[in-house]
Amino acid sequence: MDTLIMVAQLLLGLSILVGLHELGHLLTAKMFGMRVEKFSIGFPPKIIGFQWGETEYSIGAIPLGGFVKISGMVDESMDTEQMASEPQPWEFRSKPAWQRLIVMLGGIIVNVITGILIFVVLVYQKGETYYSQEQIAEHGIVAYEIGQQIGFQDGDKIIDINGQPYQSLGDLSSGEALLSTDGYYTVERNGEIIRIDIPRGFINSFSNEESMSKFVSIRMPFEIIDTPKGGAAREAGLQKGDRILAIDGQPINYFNELQSNLAERAGSEARLTVQRNTETFEKTLAVTEEGTIGIQINPLLSPVTNRFGFGESIVKGTERAFGVVIINAKALGRMFTGEVSTKNVSGPIGMAKIYGNKWDWTKFWSITGLISMILAFMNLLPIPALDGGHVVFLLYEMISGKTPSDKFLENAQKVGMVMLLALMVFAIGNDILKLFTGG
């Protein structure tokens, strides 16, 4: 069932984005009087379709993209017979270069608009919820495996990133921070200010959602909310609302401190100092081999919540949308220098895992908005067979006044398709490798 939910979310998200992208090409082509022969979400073989006017609309069996076939255009159909005939007024090649340029940009523009709209709506409806810089500076962090690798310790209070203030806990592992040149965190540790450098290529440590949870979190003050039956805490009489102040005389202020102290006493006993209302008392409890005493806790630190008006949401949502493009452009550039590993390139399996195995509409639309902006960016790359490749040739034509030959465009299309096929094979190979290695 988990796999089914992941696949269903991926197919729905891609179908929406591919459909809108191809719709952008279709509408702009028809706007300039071009004949659109086919509109497909998914690649052949065709599952279902219908004819409406001059255009056949269909759904293909391979849900990894889609296409629009415009008469008189060199595309993935490689329809050389049509291109060998005399140009007709309704064909792509018969129209002015500026009209053809708008048609090629139509899908990208729609993806950008879609991404912005999704982020604007999410910001307006949900606002922002996060643990703030001020809360982190007050309580400090819990450093997990990846955080410890670069020098973080439990209790560190992170003051800034690259000498600049930050807003939230999530900013500490954001692409902007991890991809910064000579990046660093300024940390207060036991009253001393120290610098923790962000190593070159550190972003490669964050290859999946699970790895994000192995970096840092905020230290959490807590109280007991429940003592399940059969646990040592229930047998000792601990109750909802009790606060554990110390273990064997060692002060406990945060849940991570409780966990580490109990882990040290796994399989033995612990003497707890407990506060109940205004009363303080001690209880000795047996600690399991797993380092637990049978309690459920209630966090006593609430995240900051910000709400935005419609105008503010437009600004904030647009910033988020284009922030995705900037980070991905930086990451792509760092791949060529070797700083960002190509292992981070994911195919459909990796994308499905990002959506997750629970159907959460907020997360679904967040990821779909993110993918929409990435699709726009990737399609703008100057690779033949992508929209960006066509844009380059059209700009050359507009600047030089010379039209590339159909033969040149056909060969460029073939090269581009081979490149895209190789990239897809590589991405799917990465996905399969991660499945076997747990990456």
Side-chain angles (χ1 to χ4, degrees):
M1 181 59 72
D2 289 350
T3 301
L4 184 62
I5 291 173
M6 286 193 289
V7 171
Q9 290 188 89
L10 174 64
L11 292 182
L12 177 59
L14 283 183
S15 297
I16 292 171
L17 296 180
V18 169
L20 290 173
H21 178 92
E22 300 304 337
L23 183 64
H25 291 310
L26 179 142
L27 292 177
T28 49
K30 287 182 175 290
M31 181 174 67
F32 294 122
M34 301 178 194
R35 178 175 294 174
V36 179
E37 299 175 17
K38 294 181 180 181
F39 172 94
S40 177
I41 300 175
F43 295 120
K46 180 175 68 175
I47 297 175
I48 191 173
F50 63 92
Q51 189 79 24
W52 186 19
E54 64 189 18
T55 308
E56 178 190 26
Y57 298 85
S58 62
I59 296 176
I62 304 175
L64 298 178
F67 64 92
V68 167
K69 187 177 186 327
I70 303 172
S71 297
M73 176 182 169
V74 178
D75 57 16
E76 59 273 8
S77 70
M78 302 303 292
D79 189 352
T80 55
E81 182 178 341
Q82 183 186 71
M83 299 303 294
S85 61
E86 285 296 317
Q88 300 298 318
W90 61 80
E91 290 186 339
F92 179 85
R93 55 181 168 165
S94 300
K95 302 299 180 179
W98 68 270
Q99 293 185 3
R100 285 178 277 142
L101 179 64
I102 291 174
V103 171
M104 296 317 305
L105 290 172
I108 295 172
I109 292 170
V110 169
N111 276 141
V112 170
I113 292 172
T114 300
I116 291 173
L117 284 175
I118 288 173
F119 282 113
V120 167
V121 171
L122 287 173
V123 170
Y124 183 70
Q125 288 187 339
K126 302 295 182 179
E128 292 179 332
T129 301
Y130 56 87
Y131 291 107
S132 68
Q133 176 187 14
E134 291 77 15
Q135 291 173 312
I136 294 169
E138 177 182 354
H139 297 282
I141 62 162
V142 182
Y144 301 115
E145 178 184 344
I146 294 176
Q148 292 170 6
Q149 288 175 4
I150 63 169
F152 280 126
Q153 296 180 10
D154 289 352
D156 282 352
K157 298 178 178 180
I158 303 174
I159 300 171
D160 61 49
I161 306 172
N162 299 329
Q164 300 297 320
Y166 62 96
Q167 182 183 48
S168 71
L169 180 66
D171 292 339
L172 301 177
S173 56
S174 67
E176 183 177 357
L178 300 179
L179 288 170
S180 55
T181 303
D182 298 323
Y184 65 93
Y185 302 98
T186 304
V187 172
E188 178 190 341
R189 180 181 295 165
N190 300 322
E192 180 184 358
I193 302 298
I194 64 173
R195 169 176 167 145
I196 294 181
D197 291 317
I198 302 174
R200 185 176 183 272
F202 184 54
I203 194 170
N204 296 316
S205 300
F206 298 84
S207 58
N208 53 44
E209 194 168 353
E210 181 184 355
S211 61
M212 301 293 286
S213 66
K214 296 179 181 178
F215 186 41
V216 300
S217 66
I218 191 168
R219 292 203 296 181
M220 190 63 62
F222 70 99
E223 66 180 10
I224 296 173
I225 193 172
D226 192 18
T227 54
K229 187 176 180 180
R234 170 73 70 92
E235 294 177 1
L238 298 189
Q239 300 176 8
K240 177 180 178 180
D242 287 352
R243 298 190 64 179
I244 299 173
L245 303 181
I247 295 180
D248 294 334
Q250 185 171 344
I252 299 294
N253 297 303
Y254 300 102
F255 185 57
N256 71 293
E257 295 175 335
L258 174 69
Q259 289 176 307
S260 60
N261 274 274
L262 291 177
E264 292 174 1
R265 295 162 175 78
S268 60
E269 292 185 335
R271 178 170 50 85
L272 274 58
T273 303
V274 181
Q275 179 182 343
R276 179 178 298 161
N277 299 323
T278 58
E279 178 188 1
T280 301
F281 56 90
E282 291 187 349
K283 290 284 185 180
T284 298
L285 284 74
V287 183
T288 68
E289 295 293 340
E290 292 75 31
T292 63
I293 55 174
I295 63 170
Q296 294 177 359
I297 65 109
N298 178 42
L300 295 178
L301 183 63
S302 298
V304 174
T305 300
N306 292 329
R307 295 290 181 181
F308 301 98
F310 186 67
E312 292 176 306
S313 298
I314 292 175
V315 174
K316 182 73 71 172
T318 303
E319 288 177 352
R320 285 190 186 179
F322 281 102
V324 170
V325 176
I326 293 170
I327 293 302
N328 277 273
K330 283 185 178 180
L332 183 62
R334 302 290 173 87
M335 280 188 185
F336 289 104
T337 66
E339 181 176 339
V340 175
S341 172
T342 54
K343 292 180 180 179
N344 292 314
V345 176
S346 292
I349 299 174
M351 293 170 64
K353 290 176 72 175
I354 293 173
Y355 273 107
N357 56 12
K358 295 182 180 178
W359 203 296
D360 181 332
W361 281 110
T362 298
K363 183 178 180 181
F364 171 83
W365 285 113
S366 296
I367 295 169
T368 302
L370 182 146
I371 293 175
S372 187
M373 297 303 296
I374 293 175
L375 283 177
F377 167 68
M378 296 300 292
N379 265 290
L380 196 56
L381 293 177
I383 299 174
L386 289 180
D387 296 340
H390 290 284
V391 167
V392 169
F393 297 142
L394 285 166
L395 289 176
Y396 167 79
E397 179 182 341
M398 294 171 70
I399 294 170
S400 68
K402 300 177 182 179
T403 304
S405 68
D406 289 345
K407 191 65 177 176
F408 172 82
L409 294 176
E410 288 172 14
N411 289 331
Q413 188 76 14
K414 291 176 183 177
V415 171
M417 289 173 67
V418 170
M419 292 173 64
L420 293 179
L421 180 61
L423 179 60
M424 182 173 294
V425 170
F426 178 77
I428 294 174
N430 265 351
D431 286 346
I432 295 172
L433 182 63
K434 290 175 185 176
L435 285 177
F436 283 103
T437 61

